[in-house]
Amino acid sequence: MADCIFCKLAHGEIPTTFVYEDDAVVAFRDMHPKAPVHVLIVPKTHVETIEALAAHENGQVIWGALLLAIPKVAAALGVSASGYRLINNFGRDGGQSVDHIHIHLLGGRNLGDRMV
Ligand code: AMP
């Protein structure tokens, strides 16, 4: 999508360093990291919301690709053994600020401030 920052990053229109890439997914570091490791796992396909994903003809494939990338991203960042946290922000009350679905992966320190 033309004015989507994550589309531009995922498709190389804005330079960034991918910590992981496959046919369907990229991962890059969050510009405002909340932990020593904080990356965003992003589908190459533009999907704005979880509702749009559920209605998308390839929604299962897109979501599956995101989930299956998680351990590979964690391994690339060296946090597989130490552990990490995933965060999804959906919609305005959920704190979603970029309307292109993504998963936050945080680690590199003890994230003891758990909510659940
Ligand atoms: P969310 O609030 O869940 O939508 O998360 C969006 C995240 O994208 C925020 O943590 C931002 O810091 C991050 N972000 C926005 N623009 C960029 C960018 N150009 N490069 C890296 N991270 C970004």
Side-chain angles (χ1 to χ4, degrees):
M1 189 181 171
D3 60 351
C4 171
I5 186 74
F6 282 4
C7 283
K8 291 178 179 173
L9 289 162
H11 296 288
E13 293 167 35
I14 295 176
T16 190
T17 299
F18 296 146
V19 299
Y20 173 81
E21 181 179 15
D22 63 31
D23 288 347
V25 171
V26 296
F28 50 84
R29 293 187 189 275
D30 195 295
M31 68 189 306
H32 299 301
K34 301 296 192 295
V37 170
H38 184 176
V39 302
L40 302 164
I41 306 173
V42 176
K44 290 181 178 178
T45 302
H46 181 78
V47 183
E48 291 194 5
T49 64
I50 192 77
E51 287 76 17
L53 181 75
H56 195 288
E57 61 179 355
N58 292 321
Q60 289 190 16
V61 172
I62 295 166
W63 191 241
L66 281 180
L67 294 185
L68 293 175
I70 290 165
K72 297 172 185 171
V73 174
L77 295 164
V79 297
S80 300
S82 52
Y84 49 91
R85 182 173 295 168
L86 305 176
I87 295 176
N88 285 124
N89 299 320
F90 292 128
R92 294 285 85 87
D93 282 358
Q96 183 175 2
S97 61
V98 176
D99 289 332
H100 179 130
I101 59 164
H102 51 277
I103 298 172
H104 296 253
L105 186 154
L106 298 101
R109 67 170 169 82
N110 188 315
L111 299 165
D113 46 344
R114 54 190 293 171
M115 296 181 66
V116 291

